[in-house]
Amino acid sequence: MSKRLIYLLSFAFVLALAGTNVVFGDTVWEGRIEDDLDDVEEEPSGSMYIDSSDLELPNDGGLQVIGLRFLKVRVPKDATVSKAYLEFTVDEIESPEAVNLIIEGELSPNAREFSNSNNDVSDRTRTMERVIWQPEHWPTIGEIHQSSDISAVIEEIVSQDGWRSGNSLVIIIYDDPDNPSLGNRCVEAGPGDDSAMLHIEWTLGNAKRPHPPNGAIEVSRDVVLNWEPGVFAPPANGHRVYISENFDDVNDGIGGITQSASSYAPPERFDFDTTYYWRVDEVNAPPDSSVHKGKVWSFKTELLAYQVKDIIATASSSGREDMGPENTINGSGLDANDLHSTEVTDMWLSGSEPGGAWIEYELDKVYKLHELSIWNSNQMVDPLIGFGLKEVSIDYSLDGTDYTTLGITECAQAPGASDYAYNTAIDFGGAGAKYVKLTANSNWGGLLDLYGLSEVRFLYIPVNAREPYPASGATDVDINVALDWRAGRESVTHDVYLSDDEQAVMDGTASGQTVTETGYGPLSLDLGKDYYWKVNEVNEAEDITTWGSDVWSFTTQEFLVVDDFEDYNDYEPYTVYLAWLDGYGVPTNGSTVGYPNPNFFNDEHFVETAIVHGGEQAMPLFYSNTAGASYSEAERTFAVGQDWTKAGIQTLVLYFHGTAGNTGQLYVKVNGSKVVYDGDAADIQRARWKQWNIDLASLGVNLQSVTTMGIGIDDNGASGTLYIDDIRLYASAPEIVVPSEEIWLEAEAADTITAPMEVYDDSAASGGKCIGTTDDVGNSSDTPPAPDGTASYTFTVAGGTYKLSCRIIIPSGDSFWVRIPGATTQTTNHGSGWVRWSDPPNSNNWYWHDVFSAEDDGETVLFTMDPGTYTLEIGYREDAALMDAIVISKID
Ligand SMILES: [Ca+2]
Ligand SMILES: [Ca+2]
Ligand SMILES: [Ca+2]
């Protein structure tokens, strides 16, 4: 059993720069395009040009999109990128007019390789960060030129969850649509020592992850600023904080406060409704004392009071149907500057009411009211006739029954002209109210018994808990979540109610917990469960002591991950074979974890990257119970015992993928207790993912501290290859639906195959063979190809409704024609019973897909058959489409 050799990458290097203008701790990484596949041109049609010898920026018979993939980028997660650029070598002299390019990155923590699939550059998810590059004319072939600085793009890529030093990243370059290029530039493509190079200077020395986050709004005046310190900052005096309402003062480093803690509590509260700028420089310990200058961050503080949005208005009467009371709370007639119109249908007007009229507002809940702004009736005739309210009694209530009089006030008259700003403000002094009633004793004209208003606005003090974390309705919430919320203003303590019983939380009968800080947890919740919670904000010194929040909800994660194989890479100690110990050095154990000798330069890895159940990686497990080996097993040891009894855990689930010819008995061991696979023995020979649910109670061992898990294969002489992925723990595992009847066909085992359909060898195919056509036979897109170009299979069914799944490779476009003479289908047929199976997802790796009908919105084709023997025919449709295996399964 050979062991692994880590290749040192000759083209990439890491060095610490010496020199006066580079801060200690800055590091440089450089890498070039090494393979044709890694710099590609996507043509305007979407088709991919992989192996061009040069790259036109951006015009090659049309505007193209360039993709550059750099491998093994040795920049750690969350590095601050101080400088980054692309470097190109001029290949041809092109038209000298202006060229305007956008440079973005793919927002992937480990960018996959390019394929022939259409739009494989432009379809990729992009970084938020983008950079404009306007290269000058390049008059000399062979000259080297650098792009504009792309450090923001690189920093966004390496800050993603899942990024790890050594992963791959993709840079995307295209014409700036807002400023189209007139000229063109042309650079050398890879491979070669003149291919595109990526240069990155990074450091872990900077402050990062500011709180409040950069650009935050509505920030509490009491906020304590904090950040994650740079790695070189010493415990004492390692940070210098600049903060001001003036950007330039901060940017220029005026003032500054030296801090030892990575946080800063200002001596006075921040002002309401104000933007603050701040920056943290990380200062190395003496004698070096060099400074990692931080970026300027900003945040904006909260308002004094906020607008109540959800209001119902009623009135004693309305003179016209289109002049109802709702016109005073729906924003009608207000412009962006809160100036009101003179349109009568933007206002309320009462009917004739000799005794005075009233209008009442019901807020969606009790608020601590700060102020009521009033726009009076503003009809053009108002200065003459005076519908506007004059003497008004203002009454409020918590319940709509018992009212308190705030006072009697005179509302200012409106000008009867457009652009009317409110001119009456009623101070509520923090009274708690859900209902507010305005009773008009007089109007400004005194001529007619008609009363009108244009608009009102209620402002409240936010005393309720709000902004829950997790957000209400969130799913897949960590079972150890710490609940958090924005505290109500003036609150002293917080009563938290949490339960899986919604009514108990609403009623406040769920057991409560009083906390003095905003935050509750970390909790220890059950998997896959709905939870409800609310927070009552309490201040015994206030008139109203308790303010309740809305009832919020969230659902916890369905499962815990034991191993999904996503975290391994090709660098020790992060390799899969160091986590899952195989039979290396153990003669009785015939297992090998991971590919023994991957060619890293050919994008091969220790882990499997094509046959995966979830994510991008799976574990290949090779086994051979021969030559002295009596079993094959891979074992993972957990340094800290895992509790598999918590959170309602009942079931261990793993997914395995078989290979044709596999033999032996699959088993799993937990803490040494073995359970054998009791599904269909053929499953380990099937080239598809199979879910295995293991009832943990059946293991009969203590699972409070699981320290080992093994996956193995018994039986003398057994051998083969399994792929393992997504080992999970569930409280309630997904059910495994096994069809009552399933017929497995190897595509190459057809009764007859007629040209141009042929059998091909493919080591990744089930049984090592598949069928299809080469990419030069032309397509058979519109009409079924029979009698030429088909493969036929005889099979027998018990009768019922069936579907077909096939293991295929469809590099692009269509797939196959399919028919079963004598079966009926619910979808469109062509000729004599052929179904057009078009446009399944495209890939260059094997994958399973159900046969569906392109004409019927991609509906899965259902074949209804009486008991008996039938012939399945597969006809070629798109050249280069391949088929490996076919499963006919009964669904009804
Ligand atoms: Ca209005
Ligand atoms: Ca995986
Ligand atoms: Ca096959």
Side-chain angles (χ1 to χ4, degrees):
M1 243 168 284
S2 68
K3 263 303 166 184
R4 297 84 180 175
L5 181 65
I6 305 291
Y7 295 96
L8 288 173
L9 305 173
S10 57
F11 61 91
F13 62 95
V14 180
L15 69 129
L17 277 186
T20 51
N21 57 353
V22 176
V23 172
F24 169 77
D26 274 12
T27 306
V28 174
W29 179 89
E30 285 184 346
R32 277 191 194 282
I33 297 296
E34 281 289 303
D35 192 290
D36 260 340
L37 252 182
D38 290 327
D39 53 0
V40 298
E41 297 166 287
E42 181 185 312
E43 297 169 4
S45 67
S47 69
M48 303 282 293
Y49 189 15
I50 298 279
D51 50 5
S52 173
S53 65
D54 56 19
L55 307 170
E56 281 81 6
L57 305 171
N59 200 318
D60 193 6
L63 292 175
Q64 57 180 2
V65 182
I66 304 290
L68 303 171
R69 181 168 179 256
F70 294 94
L71 312 184
K72 302 175 178 67
V73 178
R74 304 299 301 269
V75 177
K77 182 166 171 4
D78 292 330
T80 298
V81 178
S82 51
K83 186 175 183 180
Y85 55 83
L86 295 161
E87 193 172 277
F88 296 100
T89 303
V90 177
D91 182 57
E92 289 173 14
I93 312 303
E94 296 263 356
S95 58
E97 290 90 332
V99 164
N100 306 301
L101 304 168
I102 302 281
I103 306 180
E104 296 173 335
E106 180 185 352
L107 194 62
S108 162
N110 195 9
R112 63 175 169 76
E113 67 183 4
F114 293 110
S115 73
N116 277 315
S117 300
N118 275 5
N119 305 308
D120 193 28
V121 182
S122 59
D123 274 356
R124 294 179 181 227
T125 310
R126 316 286 181 85
T127 51
M128 294 287 292
E129 295 289 349
R130 44 155 48 190
V131 166
I132 289 173
W133 179 32
Q134 298 171 325
E136 74 282 19
H137 175 50
W138 299 334
T140 310
I141 289 174
E143 255 181 16
I144 290 169
H145 292 276
Q146 292 173 358
S147 72
S148 46
D149 188 278
I150 60 170
S151 50
V153 172
I154 302 296
E155 194 167 299
E156 184 177 350
I157 293 171
V158 303
S159 69
Q160 295 173 89
D161 286 342
W163 174 266
R164 175 169 280 172
S165 179
N167 282 4
S168 302
L169 65 80
V170 160
I171 299 292
I172 297 170
I173 308 176
Y174 60 99
D175 191 48
D176 182 352
D178 297 331
N179 192 10
S181 298
L182 301 171
N184 215 24
R185 307 290 179 262
C186 181
V187 301
E188 292 280 358
D193 56 11
D194 55 2
S195 66
M197 185 186 79
L198 174 60
H199 174 100
I200 302 173
E201 296 175 23
W202 56 270
T203 179
L204 293 173
N206 280 53
K208 56 188 179 242
R209 295 189 199 287
H211 174 82
N214 189 24
I217 57 171
E218 307 283 337
V219 171
S220 167
R221 299 169 70 207
D222 301 315
V223 70
V224 175
L225 311 182
N226 64 66
W227 60 93
E228 192 177 303
V231 296
F232 307 115
N237 300 327
H239 322 285
R240 191 150 182 88
V241 181
Y242 301 86
I243 183 159
S244 170
E245 295 170 42
N246 184 319
F247 174 88
D248 289 338
D249 285 354
V250 174
N251 195 44
D252 297 344
I254 296 186
I257 302 136
T258 297
Q259 291 284 105
S260 291
S262 60
S263 64
Y264 174 68
E268 287 172 17
R269 282 179 146 177
F270 292 112
D271 291 337
F272 283 116
D273 197 19
T274 304
T275 298
Y276 290 90
Y277 300 91
W278 64 302
R279 167 185 137 194
V280 179
D281 289 355
E282 300 289 83
V283 185
N284 287 1
D288 173 48
S289 296
S290 59
V291 173
H292 297 266
K293 183 184 171 198
K295 293 179 180 166
V296 177
W297 298 316
S298 73
F299 64 89
K300 189 173 184 190
T301 52
E302 62 190 326
L303 305 177
L304 168 62
Y306 291 80
Q307 182 183 353
V308 179
K309 300 281 189 180
D310 195 356
I311 305 173
I312 298 167
T314 52
S316 51
S317 65
S318 297
R320 276 168 53 174
E321 198 174 329
D322 58 358
M323 295 184 71
E326 66 279 3
N327 286 338
T328 66
I329 40 103
N330 59 8
S332 57
L334 284 182
D335 67 11
N337 297 317
D338 286 340
L339 303 177
H340 205 282
S341 75
T342 56
E343 282 296 323
V344 299
T345 53
D346 291 336
M347 305 172 202
W348 167 64
L349 186 68
S350 77
S352 181
E353 300 222 35
W358 56 261
I359 185 165
E360 178 161 15
Y361 300 98
E362 179 184 349
L363 316 183
D364 60 319
K365 62 186 179 193
V366 175
Y367 286 92
K368 181 165 186 141
L369 290 181
H370 168 62
E371 196 174 275
L372 170 63
S373 314
I374 297 177
W375 287 259
N376 218 332
S377 179
N378 190 42
Q379 296 192 33
M380 306 248 267
V381 297
D382 248 289
L384 293 173
I385 300 177
F387 300 122
L389 311 190
K390 190 174 183 189
E391 188 189 271
V392 175
S393 172
I394 299 170
D395 302 275
Y396 64 92
S397 170
L398 294 170
D399 55 11
T401 306
D402 296 325
Y403 282 80
T404 303
T405 299
L406 183 72
I408 295 178
T409 191
E410 184 177 287
C411 293
Q413 192 175 18
S418 55
D419 300 340
Y420 161 42
Y422 78 88
N423 51 2
T424 300
I426 309 292
D427 183 358
F428 267 77
K434 181 175 180 185
Y435 300 86
V436 174
K437 188 171 186 177
L438 309 184
T439 306
N441 301 319
S442 62
N443 62 24
W444 274 96
L447 301 170
L448 301 171
D449 297 323
L450 300 173
Y451 299 83
L453 266 187
S454 288
E455 194 79 17
V456 299
R457 179 172 290 168
F458 291 90
L459 298 175
Y460 69 95
I461 306 291
V463 286
N464 304 77
R466 58 200 193 281
E467 299 172 23
Y469 175 84
S472 194
T475 56
D476 202 23
V477 170
D478 194 306
I479 54 170
N480 300 125
V481 66
L483 305 181
D484 196 9
W485 61 90
R486 174 81 171 266
R489 201 175 293 162
E490 303 165 2
S491 65
V492 175
T493 59
H494 322 273
D495 295 339
V496 184
Y497 298 86
L498 170 70
S499 171
D500 58 356
D501 181 344
E502 183 176 16
Q503 195 63 46
V505 173
M506 288 168 87
D507 298 344
T509 55
S511 66
Q513 187 79 33
T514 299
V515 294
T516 53
E517 303 289 322
T518 56
Y520 183 54
L523 300 168
S524 183
L525 302 173
D526 282 353
L527 291 164
K529 198 177 250 189
D530 296 332
Y531 286 91
Y532 304 88
W533 65 299
K534 70 173 180 183
V535 178
N536 286 351
E537 299 290 72
V538 180
N539 185 342
E540 298 292 346
E542 295 288 320
D543 286 346
I544 297 177
T545 58
T546 303
W547 293 92
S549 72
D550 298 334
V551 173
W552 301 310
S553 68
F554 62 87
T555 305
T556 50
Q557 62 193 113
E558 288 291 312
F559 55 84
L560 294 174
V561 174
V562 177
D563 203 336
D564 58 12
F565 304 95
E566 298 302 304
D567 290 340
Y568 304 114
N569 65 20
D570 297 326
Y571 305 98
E572 293 187 352
Y574 303 116
T575 55
V576 64
Y577 56 82
L578 287 181
W580 289 84
L581 294 182
D582 58 18
Y584 180 66
V586 184
T588 53
N589 181 353
S591 73
T592 303
V593 165
Y595 287 100
N597 287 304
N599 179 352
F600 302 122
F601 294 100
N602 204 20
D603 203 23
E604 294 175 5
H605 306 279
F606 293 121
V607 292
E608 170 64 37
T609 57
I611 299 173
V612 294
H613 179 265
E616 308 276 329
Q617 304 190 158
M619 175 172 78
L621 176 61
F622 306 95
Y623 63 98
S624 179
N625 297 350
T626 58
S630 54
Y631 70 103
S632 292
E633 188 174 299
E635 184 181 72
R636 181 156 172 202
T637 300
F638 305 107
V640 176
Q642 299 192 345
D643 183 357
W644 288 13
T645 64
K646 68 178 185 185
I649 291 169
Q650 299 284 337
T651 310
L652 171 68
V653 173
L654 68 82
Y655 292 83
F656 64 90
H657 186 288
T659 305
N662 278 356
T663 53
Q665 172 64 55
L666 175 64
Y667 66 84
V668 159
K669 264 185 192 168
V670 177
N671 274 359
S673 174
K674 183 192 276 190
V675 56
V676 298
Y677 182 63
D678 56 357
D680 187 343
D683 285 338
I684 64 165
Q685 300 162 2
R686 302 302 197 203
R688 62 175 171 182
W689 287 103
K690 191 74 190 173
Q691 178 186 340
W692 182 11
N693 289 5
I694 298 168
D695 175 15
L696 286 167
S698 72
L699 287 167
V701 290
N702 184 351
L703 297 169
Q704 278 175 344
S705 177
V706 172
T707 53
T708 61
M709 174 177 177
I711 301 171
I713 298 91
D714 271 335
D715 289 353
N716 275 340
S719 67
T721 303
L722 284 172
Y723 304 89
I724 310 290
D725 203 356
D726 286 335
I727 307 174
R728 300 167 172 171
L729 297 164
Y730 282 87
S732 176
E735 224 179 302
I736 300 172
V737 180
V738 179
S740 62
E741 191 183 355
E742 198 174 74
I743 296 152
W744 182 283
L745 303 168
E746 284 294 345
E748 63 273 19
D751 301 327
T752 62
I753 298 181
T754 56
M757 192 88 97
E758 288 180 63
V759 175
Y760 297 97
D761 291 329
D762 182 330
S763 60
S766 174
K769 291 183 187 304
C770 60
I771 64 168
T773 55
T774 55
D775 63 2
D776 56 0
V777 304
N779 299 327
S780 180
S781 296
D782 299 325
T783 46
D788 294 331
T790 61
S792 67
Y793 308 83
T794 304
F795 65 97
T796 302
V797 292
T801 302
Y802 297 78
K803 70 168 186 172
L804 262 62
S805 290
C806 301
R807 193 171 191 237
I808 50 177
I809 288 178
I810 311 294
S812 64
D814 304 334
S815 58
F816 294 94
W817 293 93
V818 179
R819 76 168 169 178
I820 303 175
T824 58
T825 71
Q826 90 287 18
T827 53
T828 307
N829 288 338
H830 294 256
S832 37
W834 288 98
V835 172
R836 189 204 297 265
W837 181 19
S838 297
D839 298 320
N842 297 138
S843 172
N844 291 306
N845 293 318
W846 290 110
Y847 59 100
W848 285 93
H849 211 270
D850 289 347
V851 173
F852 64 74
S853 166
E855 282 97 333
D856 301 281
D857 294 330
E859 206 176 312
T860 299
V861 183
L862 304 178
F863 297 87
T864 304
M865 292 176 268
D866 291 329
T869 298
Y870 294 83
T871 302
L872 164 67
E873 291 172 279
I874 305 291
Y876 87 95
R877 175 149 158 64
E878 178 87 20
D879 58 8
L882 300 174
M883 183 178 294
D884 176 17
I886 303 158
V887 173
I888 303 168
S889 48
K890 184 169 180 176
I891 61 163
D892 204 9

